Amino acid sequence: MTSVLVYGAYGHTGRFVVAELRERGFDVVLSGRDAAKLPGGRPASAADPASLDRALDGVDAVINCAGPFAETALPLAGAAIRAGVPYVDVAAEIEANLDTLALTADTAVVPAMAFFGGLADLLATAAMGDWTAADEVHVAYGLSGWRPTAGTLAAGRVSRERRGGKRIRYAGGRLEHRDDALPTREWPFPEPLGPRPVFAEFSMADIVTIPRHLKVRDVISYMTLDAAQGLAAAGERDAAETFVVDVVVRAGDDERRIVARGEDIYAVSAPLAVEAVDRILTGRTKAKGVATAGEMFDAADFLRVLAPRITVA
């Protein structure tokens, strides 16, 4: 039986990934930093390469669900590369994604294989279709709410510290750090959501994953104001949000649009990450080594198999 190690298996997203793997018939190896939460598992520290090597012994792939990924992504990816097995993570930290994408590897390494980063990359790649370049990619997130996990809040703090409190955007073909406030505007979400006020340049991992392999001048992310304000809330998640991800690609006067709908931004990261591992292990890839979702996989086909948990039109 094919075995997949899940690092951070006891975390919020990690539990979804473990369940998804088991449902699809994988043998799951539980791992993470806290041995007390891993009865029968393989505890390992990201700060101890030898412990990571022991944890990965004999497994076929690794999914990293343990943030902040600034602390875990490079050590886990490095251990996977040493073991010669694929590495996938669910990191939404822009700086951690950049760190991982700077690696070189013979085995597959795919960061940001989650709701933020991977999903929009697949959507934008599918929307581009036969276009070889575009002027703009717009990614608008319409969430019914957002009660972040403690891990999300910690990851956000680390990212802000790494960029000195500045915000970041992708414009004119490069990443820029800025001191000004986020602009606001109204985004015309499809019905039944309809037009909603959003923060523009609310940059997520999409500004790293999309221009990694698509020739595009600007990548702009948007977040509904009420959902963005939920990031200030702490505590346990008490309900799953519904979401609409509206992606518009523009080239000159031409425009293409693709929309994804679903529920629970953390839960849907599980089928994204697990499908990625399945495709890598069965040779259904377009690229080798380090790559993003849209670069590594047939985007349109990948999105089709996510139904019904994520519906795309």
Side-chain angles (χ1 to χ4, degrees):
M1 183 181 294
T2 303
S3 62
V4 179
L5 181 137
V6 179
Y7 193 78
Y10 44 75
H12 188 79
T13 302
R15 291 194 295 269
F16 285 121
V17 170
V18 168
E20 181 78 15
L21 285 165
R22 286 174 171 162
E23 183 178 331
R24 295 179 60 159
F26 289 94
D27 179 32
V28 183
V29 178
L30 307 180
S31 187
R33 292 165 284 203
D34 191 340
K37 296 179 180 178
L38 291 166
R42 299 184 185 180
S45 168
D48 181 358
S51 72
L52 294 175
D53 291 341
R54 289 192 296 270
L56 270 60
D57 183 40
V59 305
D60 297 295
V62 179
I63 300 178
N64 181 10
C65 301
F69 291 90
E71 300 172 1
T72 66
L74 287 183
L76 263 292
I81 291 168
R82 290 194 299 276
V85 300
Y87 168 89
V88 169
D89 70 35
V90 296
E93 295 167 41
I94 293 169
E95 292 75 20
N97 297 147
L98 289 169
D99 290 344
T100 305
L101 289 170
L103 294 171
T104 56
D106 293 325
T107 189
V109 173
V110 186
M113 200 64 237
F115 178 78
F116 292 117
L119 178 58
D121 187 19
L122 291 167
L123 291 167
T125 304
M128 286 274 288
D130 59 352
W131 287 1
T132 58
D135 298 317
E136 304 165 352
V137 175
H138 301 265
V139 182
Y141 292 98
L143 275 58
S144 63
W146 191 357
R147 180 58 65 89
T149 64
T152 296
L153 294 173
R157 287 192 295 270
V158 170
S159 279
R160 286 191 297 275
E161 289 169 2
R162 291 188 68 179
R163 67 178 79 123
K166 295 182 178 181
R167 68 181 185 88
I168 188 170
R169 70 174 186 175
Y170 186 86
R174 63 187 181 90
L175 293 171
E176 297 179 345
H177 291 85
R178 297 177 63 93
D179 293 309
D180 56 337
L182 285 171
T184 59
R185 58 167 288 185
E186 187 173 82
W187 183 265
F189 287 100
E191 296 297 337
L193 203 59
R196 295 290 177 93
V198 296
F199 281 117
E201 300 179 3
F202 191 91
S203 297
M204 306 302 292
D206 319 317
I207 68 170
V208 172
T209 58
I210 291 171
R212 157 84 178 189
H213 65 106
L214 297 179
K215 188 177 179 182
V216 57
R217 184 190 65 223
D218 300 328
V219 179
I220 309 111
S221 300
Y222 307 83
M223 180 66 69
T224 44
L225 261 62
D226 51 354
Q229 290 160 355
L231 278 173
E236 294 296 319
R237 283 170 58 82
D238 52 8
E241 60 283 297
T242 58
F243 64 81
V244 174
V245 184
D246 187 16
V247 176
V248 176
V249 180
R250 293 185 180 134
D253 294 330
D254 294 327
E255 178 179 295
R256 292 178 175 178
R257 188 177 199 173
I258 188 169
V259 180
R261 294 177 171 86
E263 180 178 312
D264 198 330
I265 65 175
Y266 294 97
V268 299
S269 291
L272 283 160
V274 174
E275 180 66 18
V277 165
D278 192 10
R279 286 177 179 244
I280 293 167
L281 292 175
T282 53
R284 292 175 292 155
T285 58
K286 300 190 303 176
K288 297 183 182 297
V290 183
T292 67
E295 190 178 9
M296 180 66 76
F297 307 112
D298 180 327
D301 183 63
F302 196 114
L303 291 167
R304 276 193 294 271
V305 304
L306 294 177
R309 282 173 287 186
I310 300 176
T311 60
V312 177

